[in-house]
Amino acid sequence: MTGMLLKLTVLDQNLCAGCGACALVCPQQVIVFDPDRVVPLLEGIGDSCESCTECLAVCPGLQPDTDRSELELFGRTRRAEERWLGISRQAIGARSTDPQIVRRSASGGTATTLLLTAREHFDVDLTLTMGRHPGQGWRSAPQLGSAAAAIINNAQSTYQLAPYLNALRECYEQQPDARIAVVGLACHVQAIRKLQRRDTAIGHWARSRIICVIETACSSNTLPAGTHSIISEVLGQDPQQVRDIKYREGDYPGRLQVTLLDSQTFGIDFWEILGKLKDNKTFRCLSCGDWMSGLADVSVCDGDPNIFEASLNGSEEQKHGRALIRTEMGQALVDSAITHGRLESWGVDLGGFNLGLERKKNRRRFYETQPLVLPAGPGVGDHFEDEALVDDAELINPAKYRSSP
C-alpha cells in the first residue's frame, strides 16, 4: 500500500528528487534505484511494506516540510524577504587558506574546509561527499569515508544526480556510533531534517550521529545522460573509458575535464556544458522552489554572481565562496575554521543579481503558470508579478554576455 502511495503522490507526478532517502530508511531494504533515471523501482516490493510509511515520511519530493524544520531549527519560519535565502545569522565571503584546496575547488574550497574542520576539531568520523563510481568513472556516486585526501578530491560540484543519501545505510548498519558530516543539495538537507524528526531507530540515529550538514546552492541538477552526452557527442570519447571527471577544473571558473583510463584528458568550457546539461533535467529539479533549503548549518554558493559570463569572457576573479551561517553548529564550525587558520573570511552584501538564483526563480515562475503539481515551497509563497521566460535559455545565452571583440 505504501509503495502505491509513493508511486501516486511522488513518482507519477515526476516529483522524485533522486535523493535516495527512501532507500536509506526502508526497513526491509527492498527499494533500489534505476541508475539512469535515478528513481526508485517499486515493481518487486510485494506486500512487505504494506503498513510502513517511512519512505513517504522522509521524501522531500512533494513536501520538503521547510516550515516545520525551520520552527525546530530557528523557532520561527522565514519572512517574505527571506524567501530565497532563508534564515541566517551572518553572511560572509570565504576562501580556504590552503593553496591545494583552492586549486582543487570550484569556488575557493569553503565547503571542503568546513568538512575538514568538522573532521579534525568536532570529532567527526565520516564525511559524505559526491565522488565517482568505482567501476564507471563517468557516473557520480556517493562516498562515505574519513580520509582528508578523498574530501579534497571531491571538492568540486558534481552536476549529476545519484541516490546520494542511501550511502548512509552502510554506516547505520555497520558503524552506528560514527559521527557524520554531510555536504549536499537542498533536497538532501530537507530529507535529512525530515528523517531527524522520525521517532524510529534510524531517525534517532540520524538525530544523534549526523553532527553537521553543509549545503551548496543548486539551480537544478542533471540526469547521468547529460554527462554521458557531453563525453560521447561533444568530446567524441567512449564514456566506458572514463576514469574521472571534474566539472570545474583549472583556473576560475573552471571547465569540465574528462580523464580516460589511459590518462588522456579532454575538456570543454563551463559555459558550454550548461547548455548541454539543460536538456537532461528532471521535472522535480526544474520546478524546485529552493536554491538553498535554508535548513543546513551552513549554506555555500559561488562568490562570483555570474560564473557563466566569467567562463565565457575570462575572469580575474579569485576563487571564493559566499557562506550563510544559520545554526549554532554552523557558527561554531566557521569560527573554528577561521580560528585555526583554515579559512579566510570577510563581510559581503548578498543583494544584487545572481545568475544561479535568477535561473531558479525564473523556472519556478514558469512552472507556477502550468496546471501541474509542484514541490511545495516555504509557507511565504511563490507568487510572482513579472512574466516568466518559457525556459531559462535566454539567461544563459552567450550573445547576452559575450564581450565585444
Side-chain angles (χ1 to χ4, degrees):
M1 179 62 71
T2 303
M4 182 59 68
L5 289 175
L6 183 66
K7 180 178 185 299
L8 291 173
T9 60
V10 178
L11 301 183
D12 286 355
Q13 304 294 334
N14 294 314
L15 291 178
C16 176
C19 68
C22 57
L24 166 63
V25 302
C26 177
Q28 301 295 327
Q29 286 295 278
V30 293
I31 297 178
V32 296
F33 268 73
D34 181 311
D36 296 315
R37 294 186 298 128
V38 198
V39 294
L41 300 173
L42 303 179
E43 289 82 357
I45 63 174
D47 298 328
S48 61
C49 67
E50 184 172 351
S51 61
C52 175
T53 61
E54 289 309 300
C55 59
L56 278 173
V58 300
C59 176
L62 173 62
Q63 180 50 264
D65 223 1
T66 299
D67 292 358
R68 184 173 175 186
S69 293
E70 286 181 334
L71 284 171
E72 295 203 359
L73 287 169
F74 311 115
R76 68 175 179 90
T77 58
R78 69 185 69 183
R79 296 184 285 266
E81 64 270 21
E82 297 169 317
R83 163 63 186 91
W84 288 99
L85 297 182
I87 299 166
S88 64
R89 297 172 169 220
Q90 182 184 9
I92 61 171
R95 180 190 300 112
S96 171
T97 59
D98 185 330
Q100 178 193 8
I101 294 176
V102 173
R103 180 177 62 83
R104 300 296 296 272
S105 72
S107 52
T110 303
T112 300
T113 298
L114 295 178
L115 288 176
L116 292 171
T117 299
R119 174 181 174 272
E120 296 187 16
H121 302 291
F122 289 79
D123 298 321
V124 162
D125 304 300
L126 298 170
T127 59
L128 180 62
T129 59
M130 189 71 88
R132 311 312 307 168
H133 188 285
Q136 295 180 294
W138 70 273
R139 288 188 185 274
S140 63
Q143 293 184 356
L144 189 63
S146 60
I151 296 172
I152 296 171
N153 186 60
N154 294 343
Q156 297 177 21
S157 300
T158 297
Y159 299 86
Q160 188 184 142
L161 285 162
Y164 187 59
L165 296 179
N166 191 30
L168 293 171
R169 184 75 191 194
E170 180 180 347
C171 181
Y172 171 63
E173 293 178 343
Q174 300 181 16
Q175 297 177 266
D177 294 328
R179 290 164 59 89
I180 305 167
V182 176
V183 61
L185 305 178
C187 52
H188 302 136
V189 179
Q190 290 158 347
I192 287 172
R193 296 311 189 198
K194 293 182 80 172
L195 171 58
Q196 288 177 324
R197 288 200 300 272
R198 299 299 297 160
D199 187 18
T200 60
I202 195 169
H204 290 290
W205 169 83
R207 193 156 54 249
S208 64
R209 308 321 294 176
I210 298 178
I211 305 306
C212 61
V213 182
I214 301 162
E215 74 178 333
T216 55
C218 176
S219 63
S220 67
N221 211 335
T222 309
L223 290 166
T227 297
H228 191 282
S229 67
I230 291 174
I231 297 168
S232 60
E233 298 171 17
V234 180
L235 299 178
Q237 302 301 314
D238 179 2
Q240 302 307 318
Q241 295 301 308
V242 172
R243 185 180 74 218
D244 193 21
I245 297 177
K246 301 296 183 188
Y247 289 82
R248 300 278 299 276
E249 189 71 1
D251 294 337
Y252 181 83
R255 57 200 313 263
L256 182 143
Q257 179 175 290
V258 173
T259 303
L260 303 185
L261 295 174
D262 63 6
S263 297
Q264 290 188 82
T265 61
F266 300 86
I268 178 174
D269 287 340
F270 182 74
W271 71 266
E272 293 184 79
I273 78 168
L274 290 183
K276 301 297 181 184
L277 293 177
K278 81 181 192 67
D279 294 329
N280 291 278
K281 306 288 187 180
T282 70
F283 172 75
R284 174 59 173 78
C285 278
L286 290 173
S287 62
C288 172
D290 299 286
W291 189 52
M292 301 173 174
S293 74
L295 307 177
D297 295 300
V298 182
S299 302
V300 181
C301 67
D302 275 297
D304 187 337
N306 195 335
I307 62 173
F308 183 87
E309 181 180 13
S311 175
L312 189 66
N313 297 317
S315 175
E316 296 182 358
E317 186 86 43
Q318 282 191 304
K319 287 183 180 181
H320 72 283
R322 291 181 175 181
L324 279 76
I325 304 167
R326 303 191 187 279
T327 68
E328 184 177 342
M329 169 55 78
Q331 189 73 65
L333 198 57
V334 170
D335 289 348
S336 178
I338 294 171
T339 298
H340 287 93
R342 291 184 168 277
L343 196 70
E344 58 176 317
S345 67
W346 56 92
V348 292
D349 178 4
L350 294 176
F353 179 84
N354 184 295
L355 180 63
L357 178 54
E358 288 305 313
R359 294 180 74 198
K360 173 66 73 173
K361 287 181 178 180
N362 178 72
R363 286 168 173 161
R364 182 69 179 197
R365 184 184 300 122
F366 169 72
Y367 281 106
E368 280 193 1
T369 67
Q370 309 303 304
L372 298 165
V373 179
L374 302 183
V380 293
D382 292 329
H383 304 295
F384 303 91
E385 295 181 0
D386 49 338
E387 186 177 351
L389 301 171
V390 174
D391 60 31
D392 69 351
E394 179 58 26
L395 292 174
I396 54 171
N397 181 355
K400 183 174 183 177
Y401 298 107
R402 196 181 296 277
S403 296
S404 301

